[in-house]
Each structure stands twice: as structure tokens, then as C-alpha cells.
Amino acid sequence: MANILQWFPHTTAPFIANAPMFGFADVSLATAATKAGGLGFIGGGFDFRTESTQLQGLDTQLANARSILCLTDDQPLPLGVGFITFQPGGFIDNAIPVLRKHRVAAVWLSFPQADADHLPIIQAIRKAQRGDWDIKIFVQVGTVKAAEEALQQGVDVLVAQGADAGGHQWAQGASLISLLPEVRDLLSKARNKTTAILAAGGIVDGRGCVAALGLGADGVVMGTRFVATSECPAPSTIKQTIVSASDGGVSTIKSIRHDVFQSTDVFPRQYDGRAIIGVNYEDSREGVSDEEIIRRYNEAKEAGEHQRRTVWAGASIGSINAVVSVEHVIRSTQQEAKVILERLKAGY
Ligand SMILES: Cc1cc2nc3c(=O)[nH]c(=O)nc-3n(C[C@H](O)[C@H](O)[C@H](O)COP(=O)(O)O)c2cc1C
């Protein structure tokens, strides 16, 4: 199996990355993850046009990361950036130069219109890699077919995303317990020992981490767990909604409706998203029209209220019980995983 810890020498076992949640995983969250021995990711967005304010913001955040981590200009940045790629125009000309300028350690691609769209991007990143810049390419996949395609494209890391995940994901896909072993078997059959696999979707503590390792992952990614941290820029009402929810199979739902209600329905149809069943969703169940829900959503937004905002969250939400620091999430997950692994080794 590939040793992902060696690729990122500051990381500690078991390997943990925060998901590059656009608007949630900012420089503060990502640098805290890296400092704690994880791999921090900043959500870089989906707009790669020349005038993209998302790329301008990313550029500023990466410069800040260098100073927060006390790195000199000649040191690489032990952080990754995630991009949503369903509108890939401009990526090669405008996003890659930002990554190269700051010499980020990893890039994460998710949600293409077609899997094949990643190939020119991956080829361009490989070409841009010079002697003083080593970047690992992560691609998030929610099906075995998408994993096969990404492998053929020569990615370094497959992030297997199961259907328990919070946020956007494959509309039709299995949970990690089915997906991960099949993705691991793909690598085994190809005698591939260079590509790493990370597990994403419903992991919030050491128990989920050990389960993922057992299913064939080299490390884990957590998204929702990191939203409920002190470093995450999300409003406290959203963090409290996550902390107070339980029984995620019932309190969250996978649907495109969450995007419809807040007029963000821009993802290709092979994707939907898991979020908490909130006021908008309840209104819809009671027969309120989409137009009226959108109107109510906009009204609340203009009034600065968050109660109608979609709270993207995974199905393991019931095991997130407090807002804690990023460092606490990483250290306690690693510690708990080690205790469980010792117990399993001892046979009880
Ligand atoms: C609030 C939120 C925002 C997300 N935004 C993104 C994103 O911008 N890009 C992306 O690739 N994945 C995004 N995801 C999905 C994550 O990459 C990951 O698959 C997911 O968080 C894993 O499941 P978990 O939330 O149960 O840990 C997001 C997830 C959440 C919860």
C-alpha cells in the first residue's frame, strides 16, 4: 500500500485530512489541521475565469497560510486546495498558476461534468510540476467506475466518498462499507502500490477511522466533523444545529432539493447533496411550492437570518456532540483509533 504519511512528512498516523469544503474550509481551519499533524485543505471554489474573485481570495489565503505556518518563501506549503470542476474553463490558465506560485502540496478535484474532463487538468498539473514543486493529485470518486477512470488518469490519491457523506456527492452511490473494498480491489488487481486511497463519508471519530482502515483505506477525510470546530468560519447557529442533531439517517437527507431551495442548483444531475432536513424541506413536504420556499429563503437571508440556510451534513451527525478545536478532532480521532486497534490486536 502507498505510504501517504511519507508524502506529507509533517503528518501523523492515522492520516487525516479535512475536506476542502468551499466556504467552510478556509485558511484558519486548514492551517490548524496541518499544525495538528493532519493535511489541511482549503476549499478553492468552482470559478476559474480570469476575473474570478474565488481565485483572488485563494491567492490571499495561501499567502496568509505561509505566514501562519511561519514558512519562508522557499519552503513548499504543506496544505492542499480543493476545486469543484463541473465548469473547468480557465482552470489550466488561472488556477494552476496560483497553486504553483504558492507551491501547495496537494490538489483535490471533485464533481466533474464528465470524468474525462479531469484528464487535461491532470496532464497540465504534471507539466507544471518543476524540480522545486511536488504536488500530489487527489480526485474524489463516489463510484467504482469513477475510481477506474481516475486511476487511468494517473492520480496519486483516490478519495472514496460514500453516500453517508455530508454535502455534494454522487446521487447514486453506495456507503463506504460497500464502496471502499471494491476500490481497494481495483488497485490490488492492477498491482498498483503507488496510489493511495482515502475514505470520506460519515467518519467523525476514531471508530469510523478504524472501520475505514479495515475496509482498505490508507487514511481518512472528515468534513462535517470539522464544520463543528472553533476554527471553521461557519456561523455558530450552523455549528449548533450540527451539534444538537441526532439520528442522521432520519435528520439528514440526500437530495437536489437543498440546492433548489436556495437557488444554488448548478451541479450536474449525477450529483446531489446530503443536508439536515430543515425548515425549507419541511415546508416542501407540507406542500409549499418551490417558488414560495425560495421567496421565504431570500427574505430570511436578506434579514441576516440563518434558519433557512441549508446545513450540509453527513449521516454520522449524531456522534458530533460539541464544538471543539481542529487539533482536538485530529488528536482525539488518532488516539481513539490507536486504542481500538490495540484492543483488536489483543483480540477483544
Ligand atoms: C459543508 C460541506 C461542504 C462541502 N463542500 C465540498 C466542496 O466544496 N468540495 C468537495 O469536494 N467536497 C465538499 N464536501 C464533501 C466532502 O468533500 C466530503 O466528501 C464529505 O464531507 C465527507 O463526509 P462527512 O461530511 O460525513 O465527513 C462538503 C461537505 C460538507 C459537509
Side-chain angles (χ1 to χ4, degrees), residues 19-24 43-45 82-84 108-111 140 159-162 164-169 199-204 221-227 242 267 274 311-317:
M21 302 173 284
F22 181 56
F24 296 83
F83 293 109
I84 294 168
W108 161 313
L109 308 174
S110 278
F111 312 129
Q140 183 160 241
V159 182
Q161 186 199 37
D164 287 332
H168 291 94
Q169 56 189 272
I203 299 166
V204 297
V221 171
M222 291 189 266
T224 309
R225 176 57 275 196
F226 283 113
V227 175
I242 290 176
F267 277 68
R274 184 181 289 281
V311 180
W312 303 108
S316 296
I317 196 168

Side-chain angles (χ1 to χ4, degrees), residues 255-295:
S255 171
I256 62 159
R257 313 284 297 149
H258 307 298
D259 273 319
V260 171
F261 300 145
Q262 50 177 25
S263 307
T264 51
D265 184 23
V266 290
F267 277 68
R269 273 293 159 259
Q270 67 267 35
Y271 307 111
D272 64 8
R274 184 181 289 281
I276 292 180
I277 297 174
V279 189
N280 293 332
Y281 209 93
E282 296 287 9
D283 281 354
S284 177
R285 278 180 169 171
E286 282 164 21
V288 181
S289 70
D290 286 358
E291 293 70 30
E292 174 58 16
I293 295 173
I294 292 167
R295 195 198 62 73

Side-chain angles (χ1 to χ4, degrees), residues 328-340:
H328 181 86
V329 170
I330 292 178
R331 300 246 191 263
S332 65
T333 300
Q334 290 178 329
Q335 180 57 25
E336 188 183 24
K338 283 178 187 157
V339 169
I340 297 171

Side-chain angles (χ1 to χ4, degrees), residues 80-98:
V81 176
F83 293 109
I84 294 168
T85 56
F86 58 77
Q87 290 165 342
F91 190 102
I92 292 173
D93 291 337
N94 301 321
I96 295 179
V98 177

